[in-house]
Amino acid sequence: TPQNSRWASLLCSLSVASFVGYQLYKQYVRNSAMHALDYTQYKPVLTATSPGKLILCGEHAVVYGVTAISTAIDKKTSITIFMPKTPAISPHAATLILKFNFAELRWNMFDLSQMRQAHDDITAELLASLYGKNEWITPDITLTPLQPVNPHAKLQRTEHQLLSLKQWDKQITIVFLYLFFKRQFASLWSDTFFLTHGILLELSSNIPIGVGLGSSAAWSTVLSGAIYYFYDYMVTQSRRRPLQKSATMCMSKECMQQIWNLAYEAETINHGTPSGIDNTTCLYGGYLKFKNKREFSVVNAATTTTDEQQFVHRIPMLVINTNVVGNTKQLVANVRTLYEQCTAMIQPIWQSIEQIGQHVMQSLVDKDMSGAQLTQRINQLFAMNHGLLVAIGVGHPVIHQIQCLCAQHDFDYGFKITGAGGGGCVIVCLLSQYQQDAYHDAKGKIDHFRTLLDKHGYDSYLLQTGQAGLCCKFHY
């Protein structure tokens, strides 16, 4: 009847209006959230910190069964998790925020819960296929302007390294949401408190990106640890009682293994088929003797596990970036071809690198070895390892140029390639400088040399080896 038709038309209009109104409301909520965060409305829950890593010896040879030696360094990535003190203004207005110093990524908690309900198993492939097409998982992004070095200059948008990478936001989103959507954390997405309050994760890092110092592995490790312990905080109802001040979580072997599994999965999203040495070093810290992801041992002076602490020497290092991007896949293939053609000659090189690694570790844990003895031993071992890496064809003219520049200024002791070679980075052991001069004189000499490197177009980084691995601390 005409009357029924009018009622149907009216109901249809109301339905459309309701839908449009809800979409506009969500957009209003999101736009209003784009302003600077008011930290007085949040309480910190926990902070997780992971070191970067450095390969000391065993590059390439590890593929052929040789033990690689890596170390955790004093460049770190941290995540602090905050929760709002009060629920959002409406059940559908809570947000999940991932904040960097250069950008904020925001998701609507209701949208994410819809995604979780719609898919039983959320894979990285599914997230990749939906990114940019599905508003549930595609974040609102705000780039954060930073103060320039010159205080009188106008504000400029930061030129962070990540912003130059293709689809950086997509890669971050896939890893981030993949871990949050893991089945072991499924009960989070039915927790009313979590869904109505939302969460803020603030990340900071001083690990340079793309220079072989483990920026990706540190991100994967610290994110895995933060989510793992945040989940424990939520499901055990710890949020309902006061937290002990700076309560460091006990890293049991079971917990470490679960965090390792999460971090390794994140690394497979980033890199395909990683060896596992990077995230293992970032997780356990100290020095790592690594054959493969199932066969490794940790030597750690500042362990966060229940294992007994061990003595280790910490070595000051200078990392120099050649600014030549080595083709790791091609370099590995070239070494494979050389090995197959000259097995009888290359096999002794692998055996020598194995021996070098063993002597490096013996020196690092020898508490009776004097500073002068340690300096001489490490410099000799690094020099031999570098020569062997050049012999298998992973050197580069720029690496040789940097080595000559180091020699001209007495910085060629303990010089070697680190990582795949063919460019990339080299390391210089700085024990000689601190042995020869008083601390302040050595520091001035090192700073002067770094200025010289900068004039030649080479970035450099100071760091120290043998640092602690992943650490998670609860706040009040």
Side-chain angles (χ1 to χ4, degrees):
T1 65
Q3 186 175 5
N4 289 339
S5 297
R6 285 196 298 272
W7 276 111
S9 177
L10 178 60
L11 289 173
C12 181
S13 298
L14 288 172
S15 177
V16 171
S18 176
F19 174 78
V20 171
Y22 172 65
Q23 296 300 319
L24 290 173
Y25 173 74
K26 282 206 303 181
Q27 191 60 46
Y28 163 76
V29 169
R30 288 173 171 173
N31 289 339
S32 65
M34 292 299 175
H35 298 92
L37 289 169
D38 181 3
Y39 283 93
T40 63
Q41 302 303 310
Y42 289 85
K43 64 175 182 179
V45 175
L46 66 87
T47 295
T49 303
S50 169
K53 63 84 193 175
L54 182 70
I55 305 298
L56 296 180
C57 52
E59 298 93 338
H60 289 283
V62 70
V63 178
Y64 302 87
V66 172
T67 303
I69 308 297
S70 63
T71 183
I73 60 175
D74 58 351
K75 302 286 186 187
K76 300 179 184 298
T77 296
S78 295
I79 288 180
T80 298
I81 294 183
F82 300 83
M83 290 204 75
K85 296 176 180 177
T86 58
I89 57 175
S90 82
H92 294 169
T95 55
L96 187 157
I97 305 171
L98 180 60
K99 179 176 171 51
F100 301 87
N101 68 331
F102 63 93
E104 289 178 16
L105 283 67
R106 292 172 177 259
W107 295 265
N108 180 273
M109 294 294 289
F110 179 74
D111 289 348
L112 293 179
S113 67
Q114 293 287 94
M115 178 71 183
R116 175 71 270 181
Q117 294 173 23
H119 301 276
D120 181 53
D121 185 21
I122 299 179
T123 63
E125 292 75 18
L126 175 64
L127 292 169
S129 68
L130 293 178
Y131 190 86
K133 304 172 186 176
N134 185 316
E135 70 165 8
W136 288 349
I137 67 162
T138 305
D140 293 313
I141 302 173
T142 304
L143 297 181
T144 307
L146 295 182
Q147 289 283 356
V149 175
N150 179 0
H152 301 291
K154 294 181 179 179
L155 287 176
Q156 300 171 0
R157 194 174 298 285
T158 175
E159 294 299 326
H160 193 277
Q161 291 168 289
L162 269 178
L163 297 178
S164 64
L165 301 180
K166 186 179 180 181
Q167 295 186 314
W168 63 270
D169 52 317
K170 180 177 181 179
Q171 192 69 16
I172 288 174
T173 294
I174 292 170
V175 172
F176 182 61
L177 293 186
Y178 173 77
L179 292 177
F180 251 117
F181 282 143
K182 289 283 291 182
R183 285 183 177 177
Q184 68 192 85
F185 306 132
S187 60
L188 271 179
W189 299 100
S190 59
D191 187 299
T192 303
F193 188 90
F194 177 62
L195 294 177
T196 57
H197 281 71
I199 182 177
L200 163 63
L201 295 91
E202 185 171 47
L203 181 139
S204 62
S205 180
N206 63 356
I207 305 175
I209 295 173
V211 298
L213 296 183
S215 59
S216 170
W219 152 251
S220 297
T221 301
V222 77
L223 181 62
S224 298
I227 294 176
Y228 179 87
Y229 280 109
F230 175 75
Y231 173 77
D232 182 69
Y233 164 78
M234 293 296 293
V235 301
T236 60
Q237 304 297 305
S238 298
R239 65 177 185 266
R240 301 190 186 280
R241 59 178 181 268
L243 292 170
Q244 181 182 348
K245 183 179 181 181
S246 297
T248 303
M249 294 305 299
C250 176
M251 298 288 192
S252 68
K253 290 184 177 180
E254 180 184 357
C255 294
M256 296 286 273
Q257 184 60 53
Q258 292 195 51
I259 294 171
W260 188 96
N261 292 340
L262 293 169
Y264 185 75
E265 287 186 67
E267 283 292 271
T268 61
I269 296 172
N270 287 325
H271 303 295
T273 54
S275 68
I277 188 171
D278 288 8
N279 63 283
T280 305
T281 307
C282 292
L283 176 62
Y284 289 97
Y287 294 98
L288 188 72
K289 296 187 286 188
F290 185 92
K291 279 188 176 292
N292 55 60
K293 62 185 180 182
R294 300 298 176 206
E295 189 177 352
F296 62 86
S297 60
V298 182
V299 179
N300 197 343
T303 181
T304 51
T305 68
T306 56
D307 297 334
E308 184 179 350
Q309 296 185 1
Q310 299 165 277
F311 172 84
V312 295
H313 290 285
R314 293 189 172 93
I315 310 297
M317 292 282 186
L318 178 66
V319 178
I320 306 171
N321 186 2
T322 67
N323 294 320
V324 175
V325 180
N327 186 331
T328 302
K329 185 176 181 180
Q330 188 61 53
L331 287 163
V332 171
N334 292 346
V335 172
R336 170 64 67 180
T337 299
L338 182 65
Y339 175 76
E340 292 174 350
Q341 293 175 348
C342 310
T343 304
M345 289 175 280
I346 301 301
Q347 193 61 40
I349 292 179
W350 299 154
Q351 294 169 355
S352 296
I353 292 176
E354 176 76 45
Q355 288 297 312
I356 289 170
Q358 290 182 15
H359 282 284
V360 166
M361 280 307 309
Q362 289 170 6
S363 301
L364 291 172
V365 299
D366 188 348
K367 61 183 177 181
D368 297 322
M369 184 174 284
S370 69
Q373 291 173 323
L374 179 67
T375 299
Q376 183 180 21
R377 179 68 61 83
I378 294 296
N379 286 348
Q380 288 175 341
L381 294 170
F382 275 15
M384 286 188 283
N385 198 166
H386 178 74
L388 294 173
L389 289 170
V390 173
I392 62 172
V394 298
H396 191 278
V398 175
I399 292 177
H400 181 67
Q401 291 172 14
I402 293 175
Q403 187 175 17
C404 291
L405 185 64
C406 289
Q408 291 171 18
H409 297 83
D410 293 327
F411 277 85
D412 58 327
Y413 308 107
F415 179 100
K416 75 174 289 288
I417 292 168
T418 181
C425 287
V426 296
I427 55 177
V428 178
C429 174
L430 296 177
L431 284 171
S432 295
Q433 280 67 37
Y434 288 107
Q435 283 292 315
Q436 294 170 0
D437 304 304
Y439 175 81
H440 291 293
D441 294 337
K443 185 178 183 302
K445 187 177 178 180
I446 293 166
D447 290 343
H448 176 74
F449 183 59
R450 293 185 67 200
T451 300
L452 183 67
L453 288 169
D454 185 62
K455 289 179 179 178
H456 281 77
Y458 304 123
D459 299 324
S460 64
Y461 318 97
L462 288 173
L463 53 85
Q464 192 175 60
T465 65
Q467 303 298 303
L470 176 70
C471 176
C472 292
K473 291 185 177 181
F474 280 116
H475 298 278
Y476 273 112

